[in-house]
Amino acid sequence: MPKVSALDMPDVPMGQLPEHLQLQRTRVVCKADAPIHTEAIQYSGAYASMGVDNSLQLESFCNNFKIEVIRLTEDEIEFDMIGIDASLANAFRRILIAEVPTMAIEKVLMVNNTSVIADEVLAHRLGLIPLNADPSLFEYLSENDSPNERNTIVYKLDVSCKKGGPRMTVKSDQLKWLPSGSELEMTPPNQSAKPKSYTSFSCSQDSMPEFSKKPLGVKHEDIIIAKLGPGQAIELEAHAVKGIGKVHAKWSPVSTAWYRMLPEVVLLKDIKGDDAEKLVKKCPVNVFDIEDLGNGEKKAVVSKPRACTLCRECIRGVNEELVELRRVKDHFIFTIESAGALPPEVLFTEAVKILEDKCDRVISDLS
């Protein structure tokens, strides 16, 4: 950036930036071919000659940062994060995808499978079914631990299609929770040894207070697992454990988590008459509207800038000098779609806690 002295701009008071520099500092301008001013200006003394401190101040961040919830449903939340850097917004996105734990089927004990789906493919399909289980109530299962009521959920699937009958669709609601643990027995190493179960539950999970009110079933009961023809059958036992998305995608708690900068659409000049009508028709998401000025005069106005998808149709051709598309650098529209295991608002809260723990570890290592 070229050095600019405040003496060269007597009409700009000390402590304030001229309009063009403030635009570069706070906005990404989207031209017809490519965006400009995309880099964040991090150097604290970038505007020192004009009396502006560009350093990050904790007090200023606390005063300016805020979150506004725009939309909240059972499986999705959209909210605005205002006053943060893109790196921090991206940190939340990555944590949501890869580091917030959930429960998922990890081990499948196949007793009988005469369907057309191979054992390993069937096990993979079962692992992707969202489970209605709170991961905070469970512990991680390490290599040295035995499966117990605190780290494992056991499900059973036993279905068959009668010979001579119609084809049968196997859905996720046919997975039955076994609160007392595995019903299968391991093959003993020698005939004199007593057979053992694959799990070591000391008590039934449905007798524990945290599980008695809410059965540990599946989140969606209409997920198709397989289709059986006459005479085919599936009998298996599935063991679910706690994990995170960076190990395998089946533990990722979100179907997607994404963000975008807040759109800002600016009309540089009044657009009236037929030009206004053409501008409104160019936008596929109805960002613009027509305002009636009276006496048969009309002009274009920006009615829904938030809906802008940056298709750039409005700035192509003759309109490039009339309309300017911008993005606010410190204002992010964040969307979280839960896979079903946890509500979307809880997912973001858990991501904040994980980032806080990371920061505490760094501070502890530095000190």
Side-chain angles (χ1 to χ4, degrees):
M1 179 186 297
K3 293 184 178 180
V4 180
S5 172
L7 298 176
D8 299 331
M9 296 173 291
D11 55 329
V12 179
M14 287 294 291
Q16 292 184 15
L17 289 178
E19 185 177 352
H20 71 284
L21 288 182
Q22 184 66 11
L23 181 68
Q24 293 179 21
R25 183 189 186 193
T26 62
R27 301 292 190 270
V28 175
V29 179
C30 304
K31 298 293 185 179
D33 51 351
I36 60 174
H37 311 320
T38 56
E39 303 86 1
I41 301 172
Q42 304 288 357
Y43 174 48
S44 60
Y47 308 106
S49 62
M50 286 165 279
V52 176
D53 184 7
N54 195 53
S55 60
L56 177 62
Q57 302 291 335
L58 179 60
E59 183 179 356
S60 175
F61 173 80
C62 293
N63 291 334
N64 296 327
F65 176 71
K66 58 182 177 179
I67 293 179
E68 297 178 354
V69 178
I70 306 301
R71 177 169 48 89
L72 176 61
T73 63
E74 183 181 358
D75 296 318
E76 186 175 345
I77 184 173
E78 180 183 318
F79 57 91
D80 288 8
M81 298 180 70
I82 306 168
I84 65 168
D85 188 73
S87 58
L88 188 55
N90 196 50
F92 286 125
R93 183 191 66 85
R94 292 176 64 90
I95 290 172
L96 281 164
I97 293 173
E99 297 186 53
V100 175
T102 59
M103 303 294 293
I105 292 173
E106 168 69 359
K107 182 184 292 184
V108 177
L109 306 177
M110 203 71 65
V111 179
N112 182 30
N113 177 24
T114 57
S115 71
V116 296
I117 302 179
D119 290 355
E120 57 269 25
V121 177
L122 181 58
H124 185 267
R125 290 175 69 86
L126 291 170
L128 295 176
I129 296 175
L131 304 179
N132 194 13
D134 186 354
S136 64
L137 302 176
F138 292 89
E139 301 170 354
Y140 287 99
L141 177 64
S142 67
E143 295 180 358
N144 300 322
D145 294 332
S146 59
N148 58 54
E149 68 276 7
R150 287 293 178 183
N151 58 30
T152 304
I153 308 173
V154 181
Y155 296 93
K156 180 180 180 180
L157 180 63
D158 189 359
V159 291
S160 61
C161 184
K162 293 182 179 180
K163 291 184 178 180
R167 292 175 60 86
M168 176 184 179
T169 300
V170 183
K171 295 188 177 182
S172 54
D173 63 341
Q174 293 173 280
L175 275 171
K176 303 303 179 184
W177 171 40
L178 300 180
S180 298
S182 176
E183 295 179 348
L184 301 179
E185 294 181 345
M186 293 182 180
T187 303
N190 54 69
Q191 292 183 353
S192 60
K194 184 179 179 181
K196 295 175 59 179
S197 169
Y198 281 90
T199 56
S200 304
F201 282 22
S202 59
C203 66
S204 178
Q205 286 177 326
D206 57 4
S207 66
M208 301 168 65
E210 53 267 48
F211 305 133
S212 59
K213 296 180 180 179
K214 183 181 179 182
L216 300 175
V218 296
K219 181 64 177 178
H220 306 290
E221 297 183 346
D222 58 347
I223 298 174
I224 297 176
I225 298 175
K227 290 192 176 184
L228 302 181
Q232 295 179 347
I234 296 175
E235 184 181 354
L236 57 84
E237 205 173 76
H239 295 194
V241 298
K242 186 175 180 178
I244 56 176
K246 68 166 65 175
V247 176
H248 194 282
K250 66 185 177 184
W251 279 299
S252 182
V254 296
S255 54
T256 183
W258 60 283
Y259 61 87
R260 61 190 178 107
M261 291 181 181
L262 177 72
E264 190 176 77
V265 183
V266 180
L267 298 180
L268 303 178
K269 298 178 182 178
D270 286 343
I271 305 176
K272 299 180 179 180
D274 293 340
D275 292 337
E277 297 281 358
K278 292 178 182 177
L279 179 63
V280 172
K281 290 179 180 179
K282 270 193 170 187
C283 182
V285 291
N286 301 321
V287 170
F288 304 97
D289 202 353
I290 296 294
E291 180 182 348
D292 191 353
L293 301 177
N295 297 325
E297 288 192 17
K298 300 177 181 179
K299 77 171 184 177
V301 293
V302 181
S303 58
K304 294 189 296 183
R306 190 184 182 91
C308 179
T309 60
L310 201 61
C311 68
R312 295 187 175 91
E313 286 299 320
C314 60
I315 59 174
R316 298 188 195 277
V318 296
N319 289 331
E320 191 166 356
E321 301 299 324
L322 304 177
V323 182
E324 187 168 80
L325 301 180
R326 302 172 182 172
R327 292 292 185 269
V328 183
K329 288 183 179 180
D330 65 346
H331 189 143
F332 296 91
I333 301 173
F334 214 102
T335 305
I336 301 172
E337 294 181 9
S338 172
L342 293 172
E345 67 273 18
V346 174
L347 288 176
F348 183 70
T349 304
E350 292 299 315
V352 173
K353 292 178 182 178
I354 292 173
L355 183 59
E356 184 180 4
D357 290 341
K358 288 175 177 284
C359 294
D360 288 340
R361 288 198 297 270
V362 171
I363 293 172
S364 177
D365 292 342
L366 291 176
S367 59

